[in-house]
Amino acid sequence: MAIDVKEFEKKHVARLQDRSLDWNVLKFQEEIDPRFKRAQMRYIGRGATANADSNVIAAEHFTLSTMVLPAGCIGPLHLHDDVEEVFFIIKGSVKALIQEVDSDEVHEIRLNERDCISSPPGVYRGIHNDGDEEALMLVMLGAVKPNLPTYVKGSELEELRLQRAKEREAIIADK
């Protein structure tokens, strides 16, 4: 059976020229703290947010996107209970943030261009572009549709997540 290259390309190739930066996917975080502003560009799968993006390669085993990190931005500490998450720095220098559950100590690990960090499930992870220039990183999650992340207990983001979960449950219960 011969491969139809045009069909293969349509199904399995994602080109930069066909993508756009999504500054809204994490807007709820930015509303809590303007330093949380960053943009995602999806290539494979929809990621943990499951954003309705039909312009991606269908994920079979993992998701892959790039993230623009403006100078000074922070990707807040969050935890995926079901998947490994990989940050690969394409451009710039950032600090990876790691925190164990039930600990107040946040560890910082410097990542430069072409450095990579893999965070296992059950560990809080985040990112901080503490430089003066924009950084760019690749993000991979180890599942087709990862569970929604949780945030540090007692944080504004976790309180918002819990409130949204209750609202969602109430909507589902009314139907």
Side-chain angles (χ1 to χ4, degrees), residues 75-87 96-99 117-127 140-141 149-152:
L77 287 167
H78 63 285
L79 180 144
H80 292 277
D81 64 358
D82 62 331
V83 295
E84 172 182 25
E85 184 171 31
V86 173
F87 298 157
L97 310 172
I98 302 297
Q99 182 179 349
I117 188 169
S118 173
S119 300
V123 174
Y124 287 105
R125 75 288 308 260
I127 201 89
M140 290 180 66
L141 289 165
T150 58
Y151 300 94
V152 176

Side-chain angles (χ1 to χ4, degrees), residues 27-43:
K27 191 98 173 146
F28 69 97
Q29 293 178 355
E30 182 187 349
E31 289 170 0
I32 288 178
D33 187 332
R35 295 176 302 164
F36 294 163
K37 181 178 184 171
R38 53 208 194 286
Q40 182 182 44
M41 187 178 286
R42 292 171 289 283
Y43 285 84

Side-chain angles (χ1 to χ4, degrees), residues 32-130:
I32 288 178
D33 187 332
R35 295 176 302 164
F36 294 163
K37 181 178 184 171
R38 53 208 194 286
Q40 182 182 44
M41 187 178 286
R42 292 171 289 283
Y43 285 84
I44 299 175
R46 295 177 177 185
T49 60
N51 190 291
D53 188 344
S54 61
N55 190 32
V56 295
I57 296 171
E60 294 184 27
H61 303 285
F62 61 90
T63 70
L64 181 133
S65 63
T66 57
M67 182 123 349
V68 171
L69 307 167
C73 95
I74 298 171
L77 287 167
H78 63 285
L79 180 144
H80 292 277
D81 64 358
D82 62 331
V83 295
E84 172 182 25
E85 184 171 31
V86 173
F87 298 157
F88 181 90
I89 307 307
I90 298 169
K91 176 183 139 192
S93 176
V94 300
K95 285 186 209 173
L97 310 172
I98 302 297
Q99 182 179 349
E100 293 178 273
V101 174
D102 298 326
S103 171
D104 292 331
E105 187 176 5
V106 177
H107 302 279
E108 297 179 348
I109 302 169
R110 173 65 55 196
L111 298 175
N112 297 307
E113 288 185 19
R114 294 186 165 188
D115 287 347
C116 178
I117 188 169
S118 173
S119 300
V123 174
Y124 287 105
R125 75 288 308 260
I127 201 89
H128 180 199
N129 180 0
D130 59 340

Side-chain angles (χ1 to χ4, degrees), residues 139-153:
V139 180
M140 290 180 66
L141 289 165
V144 173
K145 187 180 178 297
N147 293 339
L148 286 173
T150 58
Y151 300 94
V152 176
K153 196 180 256 181

